[in-house]
């Protein structure tokens, strides 16, 4: 008999494993403490994964497959993958174990050790999910020392013939429409509402409490609003294509106190637990663009495809090329803890209060909130990338290390010294004020750099450049900043730096 392990983020019913029912195959899914406890997860994240896993096991049984499911409180549960596989090997005449390639380095190593641990043949198969394989960085950039997203993305556009015209050129003559995709919401603009599901998770919430699992965030009305199975994920994709894609690109960087999800798809959970395939997402959206050419401009679809075929695959490629060393990188040698209000949202800084508040209640923030509000502040404040990683890995519904760490430690904190990005993503209040309405109702003044009510982003921004002059001055994309800093009147510069020191010294109270 063959025993096949399915991880909590491998819930793809279209995998060829399931194409026929074989009485000689036993499938297993397990809720285990090794996975609930490696970081403090958002309660919605654990609940959504368990709901999706439980639904998937039912679906498999309905298809006729044999499934052994371990709930967290199953008396047989030894709370680790290896432990529970042993339980099954004692119960059934197992001759071989198979698993799909895991997406996390830690789990990859853990499962690679199974052969020794169980004394049985073990085979890893493809998860059939990604469009680029684990080694794609060295394939695309053979012999090169830098790895630009843009080159990676164009390579896969060509390989999969996505948004390529009959002459082999990019649709519309350009590869990149980013410059058109940076608009804030005009005053009184109302985006369509998000498409929410309503899954009660009372039983799982009780289980989490009973077992004493440490979680973060809240789960209003014990309800999960994300899709937990394939048909729901397809519904959400449909809603996105019809209602949100037409303005996705234009407003992808916009932030607003009332419209926390804007034109974003909220598809990341479905994609990351693999109930949805990136290729079908891309194709469905391209089909919509083809069918409504006057309503959906090329910049909308290109912006969306870039996120999925570009960033998502690229981040995974970086992860597998650079782990495990990547998890130790700390380019700026930052050491501070995250401010306490990252776990409560209790700060007078309106942008952070909103971005953190919604992360705690929805387990969601969109890309620019993650990058230019919470990430920006953590970097300016000199927080240790381990702390920042732990926060991002726990708090978001879509957080899995392969995509979290590359975005956080790499893109957001520049702790990799420039593997993912070419310069740190930091900004003063100017950017936040331009892209959102946060500053309109803030305790702080976005135009002041020091003195009563000065926005902390402004002084911390210059403090960051000042303290990291040695590391950053020679970067051609940054040199200009140092010219501005050096042109400032000496007392202005001192006032700004003093203001930053003051904020840093009581960061839990700002
Ligand atoms: P949309 O804006 O609708 O985009 C569509 C899809 O594109 C997303 O579902 C996602 O699959 C993909 N995508 C977009 N941007 C990225 C990106 N930078 N990297 C990878 N995929 C991308 N994404 C995660 O899936 N998991 C994480 O743990 C995660 N951590 C992040 C941490 C930081 C500091 C930052 C700056 C970004 C992080 N992202 C992460 C990327 C991005 O913020 C989320 O994918 C996105 O916000 C999910 O919401 P959505 O589905 O509405 O995305
Ligand atoms: C994130 C997560 C959590 C919280 N719980 C489980 C679990 O109990 N069982 C499981 O199989 N997977 C879980 N996961 C997802 C895994 O952590 C994920 O499969 C690995 O990190 C590999 O990406
Ligand atoms: Fe954020 Fe500063 Fe604007 Fe307040 S003034 S919302 S702290 S950027």
């Amino acid at each position: 008999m063959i025993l096949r392990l399915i991880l909590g983020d491998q819930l793809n019913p279209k995998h060829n494993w399931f194409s026929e029912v074989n009485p000689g195959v036993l499938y297993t899914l397990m809720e285990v403490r090794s996975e609930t406890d490696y970081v403090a997860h958002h309660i919605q994240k654990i609940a959504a994964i368990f709901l999706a896993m439980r639904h998937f096991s039912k679906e498999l049984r309905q298809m006729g497959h044999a499934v052994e499911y371990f709930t967290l409180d199953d008396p047989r549960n030894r709370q680790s993958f290896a432990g529970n596989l042993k339980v099954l090997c004692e119960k059934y005449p197992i001759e071989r174990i198979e698993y799909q390639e895991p997406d996390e380095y830690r789990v990859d190593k853990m499962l690679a050790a199974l052969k020794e641990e169980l004394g049985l043949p073990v085979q890893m198969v493809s998860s059939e999910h990604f469009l680029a394989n684990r080694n794609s960085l060295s394939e695309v950039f053979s012999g090169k020392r830098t790895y630009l997203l843009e080159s990676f993305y164009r390579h896969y556009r060509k390989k999969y013939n996505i948004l390529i015209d009959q002459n082999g050129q990019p649709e519309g003559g350009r590869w990149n429409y980013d410059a058109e995709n940076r608009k804030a919401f005009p005053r009184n603009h109302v985006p369509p509402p998000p498409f929410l599901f309503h899954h009660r998770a009372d039983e799982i919430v009780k289980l989490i409490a009973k077992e004493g699992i440490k979680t973060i965030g809240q789960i209003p009305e014990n309800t999960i609003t994300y899709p937990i199975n394939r048909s729901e994920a397809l519904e959400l994709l449909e809603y996105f294509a019809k209602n949100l894609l037409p303005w996705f690109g234009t407003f992808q960087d916009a932030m607003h106190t009332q419209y926390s999800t804007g034109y974003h798809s909220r598809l990341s959970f479905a994609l990351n637990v693999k109930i949805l395939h990136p290729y079908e997402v891309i194709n469905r959206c391209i089909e919509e663009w083809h069918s409504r050419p006057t309503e959906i401009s090329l910049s909308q679809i290109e912006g969306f495809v870039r996120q999925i075929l570009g960033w998502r695959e690229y981040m995974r490629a970086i992860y597998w090329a650079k782990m495990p060393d990547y998890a130790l990188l700390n380019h700026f040698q930052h050491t501070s803890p995250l401010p306490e209000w990252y776990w409560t949202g209790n700060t007078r800084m309106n942008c952070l209060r909103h971005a953190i508040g919604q992360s705690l209640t929805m387990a969601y923030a969109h890309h620019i909130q993650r990058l230019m509000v919470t990430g920006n502040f953590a970097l300016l404040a000199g927080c240790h990338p381990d702390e920042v990683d732990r926060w991002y890995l726990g708090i978001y519904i879509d957080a899995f290390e392969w995509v979290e760490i590359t975005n956080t430690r790499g893109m957001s904190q520049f702790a990799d010294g420039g593997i993912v990005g070419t310069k740190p993503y930091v900004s003063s209040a100017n950017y936040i004020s331009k892209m959102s309405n946060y500053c309109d109702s803030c305790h702080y003044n976005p135009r002041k750099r020091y003195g009563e009510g000065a926005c902390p982003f402004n002084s911390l921004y210059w403090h960051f450049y000042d303290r990291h002059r040695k590391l950053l001055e020679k970067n051609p994309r940054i040199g200009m900043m140092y010219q501005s800093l050096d042109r400032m009147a000496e007392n202005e510069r001192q006032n700004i730096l003093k203001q930053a020191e003051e904020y840093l010294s009581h960061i839990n109270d700002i």
Side-chain angles (χ1 to χ4, degrees):
M1 186 176 227
I2 298 171
L3 176 57
R4 288 177 171 167
L5 170 66
I6 302 167
L7 301 178
D9 60 352
Q10 297 181 332
L11 311 180
N12 171 14
K14 298 278 187 195
H15 192 278
N16 91 71
W17 265 3
F18 312 116
S19 57
E20 57 186 46
V21 174
N22 180 343
V25 175
L26 173 68
Y27 292 95
T28 181
L29 292 100
M30 37 188 92
E31 299 169 5
V32 280
R33 292 301 291 258
S34 66
E35 301 311 299
T36 57
D37 293 14
Y38 65 77
V39 75
H41 299 280
H42 198 296
I43 186 158
Q44 290 187 39
K45 180 179 168 193
I46 303 183
I49 290 174
F50 283 11
L51 278 177
M53 287 171 66
R54 289 176 184 199
H55 188 279
F56 191 64
S57 75
K58 262 195 220 139
E59 213 176 315
L60 291 184
R61 284 190 185 119
Q62 276 161 9
M63 286 157 80
H65 300 289
V67 183
E68 277 276 9
Y69 191 94
F70 289 80
T71 55
L72 204 63
D73 57 354
D74 186 330
R76 304 171 301 166
N77 197 334
R78 296 190 191 163
Q79 304 299 347
S80 73
F81 294 130
N84 290 341
L85 289 172
K86 269 185 209 149
V87 169
L88 296 176
C89 288
E90 285 157 16
K91 183 170 168 189
Y92 298 94
I94 304 297
E95 292 153 50
R96 187 168 83 234
I97 294 187
E98 294 182 359
Y99 62 90
Q100 298 174 22
E101 53 183 356
D103 288 323
E104 191 183 330
Y105 188 84
R106 170 187 63 93
V107 179
D108 194 52
K109 291 281 161 258
M110 204 194 281
L111 298 185
L114 281 178
K115 191 172 169 219
E116 291 256 301
E117 242 177 299
L118 302 179
L120 280 175
V122 174
Q123 196 190 350
M124 181 173 89
V125 304
S126 166
S127 67
E128 301 173 7
H129 178 78
F130 291 96
L131 296 163
N133 66 40
R134 277 187 183 179
N135 299 324
S136 52
L137 205 72
S138 55
E139 286 169 18
V140 177
F141 297 101
S142 153
K144 303 222 168 68
R145 289 177 56 202
T146 51
Y147 321 103
L148 282 181
L149 170 272
E150 195 63 38
S151 317
F152 183 92
Y153 167 61
R154 290 180 191 184
H155 177 93
Y156 285 98
R157 284 262 302 268
K158 286 184 221 155
K159 176 165 178 184
Y160 287 101
N161 200 22
I162 292 176
L163 297 180
I164 299 289
D165 69 17
Q166 285 148 340
N167 305 318
Q169 295 304 309
E171 285 283 1
R174 274 159 60 196
W175 292 98
N176 184 328
Y177 290 82
D178 270 357
E180 284 152 49
N181 286 347
R182 291 180 185 142
K183 300 219 168 33
F185 292 136
R187 209 165 274 285
N188 301 326
H189 180 90
V190 180
F195 187 84
L196 305 177
F197 295 91
H198 297 280
H199 295 290
R200 293 297 299 220
D202 305 78
E203 200 187 303
I204 289 169
V205 170
K206 243 191 253 157
L207 177 66
I208 291 170
K210 183 181 89 175
E211 299 300 318
I213 295 171
K214 188 171 174 243
T215 61
I216 51 179
Q218 299 103 39
I219 177 163
E221 293 170 29
N222 286 350
T223 296
I224 292 296
T225 62
Y226 297 90
I228 57 147
N229 57 46
R230 189 168 158 76
S231 67
E232 290 178 358
L234 288 169
E235 258 186 278
L236 184 60
L237 171 60
E238 210 48 37
Y239 182 80
F240 173 75
K242 291 239 150 46
N243 303 284
L244 306 174
L245 179 63
W247 293 105
F248 171 85
T250 306
F251 296 123
Q252 66 181 354
D253 291 358
M255 299 178 281
H256 199 279
T257 45
Q258 267 176 287
Y259 312 117
S260 42
T261 56
Y263 288 86
H264 292 274
S265 67
R266 293 175 67 252
L267 283 168
S268 50
F269 176 75
L271 277 163
N272 292 356
V273 299
K274 306 186 181 60
I275 53 186
L276 212 50
H277 196 281
Y279 200 52
E280 70 186 329
V281 173
I282 291 171
N283 284 334
R284 174 64 192 92
C285 292
I286 289 181
E287 182 189 290
E288 189 69 19
W289 168 65
H290 277 310
S291 71
R292 293 157 69 192
T294 51
E295 282 170 78
I296 306 176
S297 67
L298 183 55
S299 62
Q300 318 296 338
I301 185 70
E302 193 283 314
F304 187 70
V305 167
R306 169 177 295 269
Q307 305 308 323
I308 296 190
L309 181 64
W311 283 110
R312 187 168 185 268
E313 298 286 336
Y314 172 74
M315 289 309 200
R316 177 166 179 268
I318 298 267
Y319 182 78
W320 284 107
K322 300 295 174 187
M323 282 296 279
D325 299 350
Y326 202 82
L328 301 173
L329 299 177
N330 186 358
H331 184 64
F332 294 121
Q333 297 298 311
H334 280 166
T335 56
S336 299
L338 269 183
E340 286 163 8
W341 38 260
Y342 267 70
W343 282 270
T344 62
N346 196 3
T347 165
R348 282 175 294 183
M349 303 173 77
N350 205 31
C351 51
L352 281 149
R353 189 166 69 234
H354 269 275
I356 294 171
Q358 97 177 52
S359 303
L360 291 167
T361 54
M362 299 165 63
Y364 180 90
H366 72 62
H367 185 69
I368 293 301
Q369 294 173 305
R370 298 185 201 196
L371 187 66
M372 298 311 292
V373 179
T374 41
N376 185 8
F377 190 86
L379 178 54
L380 294 179
C383 298
H384 196 300
D386 286 358
E387 286 248 331
V388 188
D389 261 335
R390 266 198 293 275
W391 188 80
Y392 279 99
L393 185 57
I395 201 160
Y396 292 117
I397 195 82
D398 53 34
F400 295 89
E401 194 188 64
W402 63 272
V403 55
E404 174 281 326
I405 199 170
T406 38
N407 270 293
T408 302
R409 203 170 273 258
M411 184 191 284
S412 156
Q413 300 300 294
F414 202 72
D416 64 3
I419 297 173
V420 166
T422 48
K423 70 176 183 114
Y425 278 97
V426 285
S427 83
S428 63
N430 193 28
Y431 177 82
I432 296 173
S433 153
K434 197 174 84 191
M435 295 310 301
S436 76
N437 70 342
Y438 291 143
C439 304
D440 299 353
S441 48
C442 185
H443 166 83
Y444 292 104
N445 182 340
R447 285 170 300 281
K448 273 181 94 169
R449 303 205 276 199
Y450 53 86
E452 185 66 27
C455 169
F457 274 97
N458 293 337
S459 51
L460 290 175
Y461 177 72
W462 290 112
H463 192 272
F464 170 83
Y465 279 120
D466 185 64
R467 71 179 188 265
H468 293 306
R469 187 183 276 265
K470 255 202 198 139
L471 285 173
L472 296 176
E473 196 169 31
K474 293 209 170 65
N475 183 323
R477 298 196 59 201
I478 298 177
M480 244 169 44
M481 298 310 304
Y482 287 98
Q483 287 168 21
S484 306
L485 191 61
D486 293 339
R487 271 202 306 266
M488 256 180 219
E490 182 58 17
N491 72 331
E492 178 79 0
R493 206 163 60 90
Q494 286 310 327
N495 282 337
I496 293 173
L497 297 180
K498 225 171 82 198
Q499 177 70 77
E501 296 284 346
E502 200 188 309
Y503 281 140
L504 287 173
S505 70
H506 62 272
I507 200 131
N508 288 324
D509 305 316
I510 60 177

